[in-house]
Amino acid sequence: MEKSSKIYVAGHRGMVGSAIVRQLESEGFNNIVYRTSSELDLMDQAKVNEFFETEKPDYVFLAAAKVGGIHANNIYRAEFLYNNLMIESNIIHASYVHKVSKLLFLGSSCIYPKFAEQPLTENALLTGSLEPTNEPYAIAKIAGIKLCEAYRDQYGCNFISAMPTNLYGPNDNYDLQTSHVLPALIRKFHTAKEEGHPSVPVWGSGSPKREFLHVNDLAKACMFLMKNYNEKLFVNIGTGVDVTIKELAETIKETVGFEGEIAWDATKPDGTPRKLMNVGLINGMGWKHEIDLKEGIAMVYEDFKQLDFA
């Protein structure tokens, strides 16, 4: 990529897209284009084609998606499947039609089978059943991977895919109805501390293990792949280290300074028992994460305290 290359970041106001924009700007790229959802409905194929015809981007980061945690994935199943299928299909096809030089599609670690061998390697895709609570979202993301592969096979497009682990960082979603576990716990512990609650309820048993990557590290990985990787196989992006939800909750409790108890609600679903990424492929190419979890939680808590509802 040249510094003057026209780069389209789809989903630039989300946590991932905004991190990619920050990384591009920090590296001196000065021709970045994007549209808000009110300016461009990515589920409208005609509007997406019109945008690509007008702007003619050279590179595309496809970070736009409808996302959420266990609760949102399980309740809004049709929306998570339909919206994500439409968004990725429209952008990937328009990128082919308008001769984009390279596209990076961002998926999710939930694409892997629920009981796949740990840590999750790229070749475990489609070897077993998915976690039921987020199956529609996972199917949409698998479809995105396969679209990139199919357009590469049939048309020779340089479309690549990356699968991040669980993410957190600036511009995260702290809505308790739709957020992922880490931002939800930050908000719960902060609220409990501010309001003097004796305990904080947390879903599940605390035993599932999860891996967490700061979104700034993901943005650097995306740039690394856009510059250096041109193969069909999608690439895992993560830290290669996981913690139990109990350990995560205790770390956040300590960071926030909440002195009450954690009340585990075992009647609520745990989700997938473990989702640790094998990051040997991207580490072998020369990329490795820089921000450890405890440091990252402290960073995002400082950001969180500046938000309006904090």
Side-chain angles (χ1 to χ4, degrees), residues 29 35 37 58 83 110 140 144 151 219 226 233 238 278 283 299 304:
F29 291 93
R35 295 289 188 276
S37 56
D58 301 306
N83 291 17
C110 74
Y151 277 73
M226 193 62 105
L233 182 65
N278 183 320
N283 286 172
M299 289 165 60
F304 172 85

Side-chain angles (χ1 to χ4, degrees), residues 24 44 73 80 82 89 149 152 170 180 258 263 280:
L24 284 165
D44 185 326
N73 272 281
F80 274 84
Y82 177 79
S89 298
E149 291 179 357
R152 172 183 289 271
H180 289 96
F258 176 67

Side-chain angles (χ1 to χ4, degrees), residues 173-194:
N173 172 22
Y174 291 95
D175 183 323
L176 295 180
Q177 296 303 309
T178 57
S179 63
H180 289 96
V181 61
L182 192 153
L185 289 177
I186 287 177
R187 184 167 184 181
K188 282 185 174 184
F189 280 110
H190 178 82
T191 300
K193 176 187 174 185
E194 292 296 297

